[in-house]
Amino acid sequence: MKINTFKLENYLSQHEFLPQHLLCRSDAESMALRDLLDMADHEDQELWNNLQLGYTTAAGMPILRQLIVQEMYKDLMAHQVLCFSGSEGAGFSALFALCEPEDHVIVLTPCYQALIEIPKFRGCEISQLSLKEENNWCIDIDAIRSMIKSNTKWLIINFPHNPSGQVITPEELKNLIKLLDEHGVWLFSDESSRLLGAPIDGWAEPAAVLYPKAVSLNGMSKAFGLGGLRIGWVACQDPAAINKIKEIKNYTTIGNSTPSELLSVIALKNKDVILEKNNQILSDNLVILDLFFTKNQKLFSWVWPQGGCVGWVHYKGKEDVDLFCKKLLRDTGVLLMPASVYDVNENYFRIGFGHKDMVTAIGKLQQYLEALA
Ligand SMILES: Cc1ncc(COP(=O)(O)O)c(C=O)c1O
């Protein structure tokens, strides 16, 4: 069976490491290894200096899994978390293991392509439910209700939503779970940007804490800005589901990088400091973006993103958004991400605002627009 090209990852790998102004990244500002190690307590410094570079426990170091539940999934236990190489590795293994051919799977779109491609690759029957700008990109529970069939096995969601930055409220998640439970439908919830941002109604709990038939996906890449560690995980209350996912891991990476797991431990112990730093950059950048969009409202509009560090901008210019992005990159080195990368045939692009250098990139974009005018 064929797997489709991952357009988004190809787009990024084509441009990401050239000396350009990346204005579409979905991760928060990163940090130097030295700065992270400076945060380590005495015990972790000793562990780091004497770290044996043999295999780690396949499911993830016990101390890491313990910290993940302590910091993120209050009512879960360490054995209900499995660590992987990135959320990508976690998502692949979980969806590959748990989606069966012929299962009906509902996916909210536009979405990070892996969330739809893996169930497709497994031979599932896919129904896409498009989030709508007129509904502020919010989840529509009635629309989901109308799509559930007798063979519906999974609903796949991603909040904070990549690319719109919309979140699911605690109330919406509660109502969603009630609906899914009535129909025995499982929930796959990509929460990889959770805790980045400041949602008006506060953060919904991770789905895996609230619903025994849920898998929550998260990792160190987005809110912590530590994508280079390549550490992600799934959390799920169901032991049979955890075992099935673990079997796929046995055939892919077995265990993770030992140094990366220990560095993740250090980061999790300093979660509040790191998240405060990253959220401050984000909120400073949002003030600048608000001014930018007010100034250029004839050309752009967006729904204020409540979580994560990307937004989905409606481009109202005459030309196709692909062409706009291409010319912008050619003339200024500023990289946006057009909607075609998400298989969306409308004039939107993704903008990213998690990094300090956004200020320079926005300045270049403004100059470009003024020169055009
Ligand atoms: C929604 C979403 N899920 C998962 C991932 C994978 O992240 P990583 O493997 O870096 O943790 C990404 C990366 O961009 C993403 O945007």
Side-chain angles (χ1 to χ4, degrees):
M1 189 169 274
K2 175 175 162 291
I3 192 152
N4 290 320
T5 324
F6 204 139
K7 288 187 183 174
L8 184 149
E9 293 301 343
N10 282 335
Y11 184 82
L12 284 175
S13 58
Q14 212 184 326
H15 302 289
E16 203 170 13
F17 297 103
L18 298 172
Q20 287 165 341
H21 304 282
L22 301 173
L23 194 50
C24 58
R25 283 175 287 187
S26 61
D27 57 343
E29 185 81 29
S30 197
M31 63 169 84
L33 174 63
R34 182 187 50 241
D35 295 335
L36 183 57
L37 286 175
D38 280 350
M39 291 179 170
D41 55 26
H42 180 68
E43 186 191 348
D44 289 338
Q45 273 171 6
E46 285 297 299
L47 275 177
W48 178 252
N49 290 332
N50 297 300
L51 188 65
Q52 293 297 305
L53 297 175
Y55 284 107
T56 50
T57 323
M61 279 179 184
I63 180 185
L64 174 60
R65 293 161 84 201
Q66 188 53 50
L67 265 170
I68 291 171
V69 291
Q70 186 184 307
E71 295 297 328
M72 304 252 186
Y73 309 93
K74 261 190 250 106
D75 299 325
L76 298 195
M77 284 175 284
H79 66 267
Q80 294 169 321
V81 166
L82 279 182
C83 299
F84 287 85
S85 175
S87 314
E88 189 80 338
F92 176 85
S93 299
L95 291 170
F96 192 91
L98 301 175
C99 293
E100 309 255 347
E102 328 273 292
D103 284 345
H104 177 232
V105 178
I106 304 170
V107 189
L108 302 193
T109 56
C111 70
Y112 184 65
Q113 203 177 332
L115 299 176
I116 192 163
E117 290 300 339
I118 312 301
K120 231 188 243 176
F121 180 57
R122 288 289 284 132
C124 299
E125 178 194 347
I126 309 284
S127 296
Q128 296 189 39
L129 176 59
S130 306
L131 298 173
K132 300 206 167 16
E133 182 168 16
E134 61 266 28
N135 194 23
N136 290 332
W137 310 113
C138 292
I139 193 161
D140 180 345
I141 294 175
D142 288 335
I144 294 169
R145 180 180 289 109
S146 70
M147 289 174 93
I148 294 177
K149 309 195 291 185
S150 58
N151 65 333
T152 305
K153 173 79 185 290
W154 285 97
L155 171 71
I156 300 182
I157 65 173
N158 164 221
F159 292 106
H161 178 230
N162 171 358
S164 74
Q166 188 49 275
V167 296
I168 189 163
T169 66
E171 184 68 13
E172 284 168 338
L173 185 57
K174 199 177 103 210
N175 293 336
L176 178 67
I177 287 173
K178 186 170 176 291
L179 170 71
L180 299 182
D181 201 21
E182 276 162 20
H183 295 271
V185 175
W186 283 67
L187 178 62
F188 184 91
S189 175
D190 181 333
E191 298 158 1
S192 52
S193 288
R194 189 170 175 276
L195 304 185
L196 199 53
I200 296 164
D201 295 316
W203 289 106
E205 289 286 318
V209 171
L210 301 177
Y211 185 38
K213 289 196 179 81
V215 174
S216 284
L217 179 75
N218 209 331
M220 301 307 296
S221 302
K222 306 299 180 189
F224 287 84
L226 298 173
L229 297 186
R230 307 309 304 131
I231 295 294
W233 57 80
V234 286
C236 178
Q237 294 180 32
D238 186 272
I242 286 283
N243 276 338
K244 277 191 184 170
I245 302 171
K246 197 155 172 279
E247 273 313 315
I248 301 299
K249 196 182 181 209
N250 287 338
Y251 281 102
T252 52
T253 53
I254 312 174
N256 294 324
S257 144
T258 321
S260 287
E261 289 208 340
L262 184 52
L263 292 169
S264 301
V265 165
I266 296 168
L268 281 161
K269 284 189 181 172
N270 291 280
K271 175 173 146 249
D272 292 346
V273 178
I274 296 174
L275 294 187
E276 195 184 322
K277 165 186 84 69
N278 290 349
N279 275 318
Q280 188 60 54
I281 295 170
L282 202 115
S283 68
D284 292 348
N285 282 348
L286 275 170
V287 173
I288 294 165
L289 279 186
D290 196 30
L291 287 173
F292 173 82
F293 285 128
T294 307
K295 188 166 180 179
N296 297 287
Q297 53 187 288
K298 286 206 178 109
L299 205 51
F300 307 115
S301 66
W302 77 339
V303 176
W304 183 266
Q306 293 199 47
C309 58
V310 291
W312 200 219
V313 180
H314 187 187
Y315 172 65
K316 299 187 270 187
K318 285 197 188 76
E319 68 193 340
D320 183 79
V321 73
D322 276 294
L323 193 58
F324 171 72
C325 292
K326 211 167 164 180
K327 285 189 193 162
L328 177 73
L329 179 64
R330 183 195 64 196
D331 295 350
T332 65
V334 172
L335 185 73
L336 294 169
M337 185 178 283
S340 55
V341 173
Y342 284 82
D343 271 334
V344 170
N345 190 18
E346 288 169 276
N347 270 359
Y348 288 89
F349 61 81
R350 179 174 106 178
I351 195 164
F353 46 87
H355 290 251
K356 284 186 197 154
D357 63 5
M358 187 212 78
V359 183
T360 315
I362 278 290
K364 297 237 168 225
L365 174 55
Q366 184 64 51
Q367 274 171 11
Y368 176 77
L369 296 175
E370 281 164 17
L372 282 185

